[in-house]
Amino acid sequence: MPWVTETDPKLVAIAAELPRPQFSTEELLTAAGGRVSDKLMAMLANLGIDKRHSILANYPDVVFQEAEPKLDIATADLAVRAARTCLAKADVAMDSIGLVLGVSSSPGRLLPSLVCDVIARIPELPRSVANLSIEYMGCSAMAKVVETVRWYLTCHPDKRVLVCFTEAITPLTPALPGTYAHFSEVGAEERQSTVNALHAFLFADAAVAMVFGTEGAGPSFGPVSSLTNVLPEDTELGTVPDGGSDIPVVHGRRLYTLSPEVTPRGSYYAKETVRMALEGDGCELKDPSQASVLLMHTGSVRILDSLCEEFGVRNDSETVASSYRVLRDYANTLGCSVPLMLAEPTHRAAGQGIVVAFGLSFSSGAFTMTVPDGGWTP
């Protein structure tokens, strides 16, 4: 049996859509009405986030006043807007789309899946198009997408792949009717209340669509180096335990847990997968500091700073600027964070960079991104 060389997919087009409502960190702190301690307020004000977008028109009131949520846009509609803009930019025949991927850890509804909702709302797509959901992979989703696209285009080099990333996590934020303190000011039994407060400030909503093919003017993506649950207990670093079949009854919004070990373990996964990618086939780099660009998931500013130090890159350098800008302007959008970096209207110089996506479940993937001669602007 002949050996098959996997295809490095190329990005043909990309488009991002943000919900219209946006709220600054200052607005949310004001809405909290003095119900957070000074130390917690300082932490929330220094997450590296200036603002975030929400599909809810009244997000602060939902969180702090327990108001009834008012949708400004449905989750699937946000995905479709991004997809339509991306398809128009790609300017490809609809029947050349052989696979559609729907990617989300916070879909608008559990069934139908996001990918089926998107196909239903874009009747121009062939009804026979192959489709697949990549759901609940958290912030590592971009790595799973690149791996899947590589497999598909290796087998179907004449086809293209449409990928729809969508996250709408703000409606899942627990209401905050009480008073809240910093992690260092509470015992283990009260830690969850502080996690709930952090949730309200850290996460946000977005959609990004991409079209991949074997030809195109955009960057190409190399093999993915992956790690998943190196320690069995890593799967418990962050969970959403209720709402599934084991705990089907949900009282209020679903619980989101977060271990104090998530920052050091997240850094470990990112560092290890980048090391593996540097040793992989097709990587021209000997060290992360040689990368033309480093796109790192925006887990938190603490993790970004830690990785910059580990990789020998200044945190104020242009190499990592996209990671910090996306965190600042859009907050943590789970699976959309790395795609938002790629969608930035920034000229990327020719050269090889590194992308690393990691997060709860716990999984991480790193791979090269090679920008062709002449550079590339989305």
Side-chain angles (χ1 to χ4, degrees), residues 279-294:
E279 296 173 355
D281 295 338
C283 185
E284 304 166 358
L285 309 170
K286 301 300 182 185
D287 188 86
S289 63
Q290 298 175 346
S292 60
V293 64
L294 265 172

Side-chain angles (χ1 to χ4, degrees), residues 15 20 34 71 88 100 139 160 162 169-170 199 206 216 227 234 246 259 265 286 302 356-357 367:
R20 182 176 53 182
L71 274 181
V100 181
C139 309
R160 297 180 179 88
L162 170 65
I169 196 168
T170 60
H199 192 291
L227 280 178
D234 286 345
D246 290 347
S259 164
R265 293 303 289 164
K286 301 300 182 185
R302 285 178 59 202
V356 57
F367 48 93

Side-chain angles (χ1 to χ4, degrees), residues 140-274:
S140 67
M142 181 66 191
K144 313 306 178 188
V145 164
V146 169
E147 203 156 34
T148 304
V149 171
R150 288 177 62 84
W151 295 335
Y152 181 82
L153 290 178
T154 297
C155 297
H156 305 278
D158 58 331
K159 290 291 187 178
R160 297 180 179 88
V161 181
L162 170 65
V163 185
C164 299
F165 298 85
T166 309
E167 301 290 2
I169 196 168
T170 60
L172 303 176
T173 300
L176 302 175
T179 56
Y180 303 87
H182 189 270
F183 290 115
S184 64
E185 300 173 312
V186 299
E189 69 282 356
E190 298 175 69
R191 176 182 168 78
Q192 186 59 48
S193 66
T194 305
V195 171
N196 291 347
L198 175 63
H199 192 291
F201 287 79
L202 182 60
F203 297 110
D205 309 339
V208 181
M210 302 179 184
V211 171
F212 289 96
T214 55
E215 297 180 357
S220 60
F221 300 94
V224 178
S225 296
S226 299
L227 280 178
T228 300
N229 291 327
V230 174
L231 301 176
E233 56 266 31
D234 286 345
T235 193
E236 303 300 325
L237 287 168
T239 68
V240 181
D242 49 6
S245 298
D246 290 347
I247 309 176
V249 178
V250 179
H251 301 284
R253 288 176 178 81
R254 289 182 293 178
L255 187 66
Y256 170 82
T257 72
L258 196 64
S259 164
E261 296 301 312
V262 72
T263 295
R265 293 303 289 164
S267 296
Y268 164 80
Y269 275 84
K271 289 182 286 191
E272 281 299 298
T273 49
V274 167

Side-chain angles (χ1 to χ4, degrees), residues 36 184 187 264 276 280 345 355 377:
V36 298
S184 64
M276 293 162 62
V355 182
T377 303

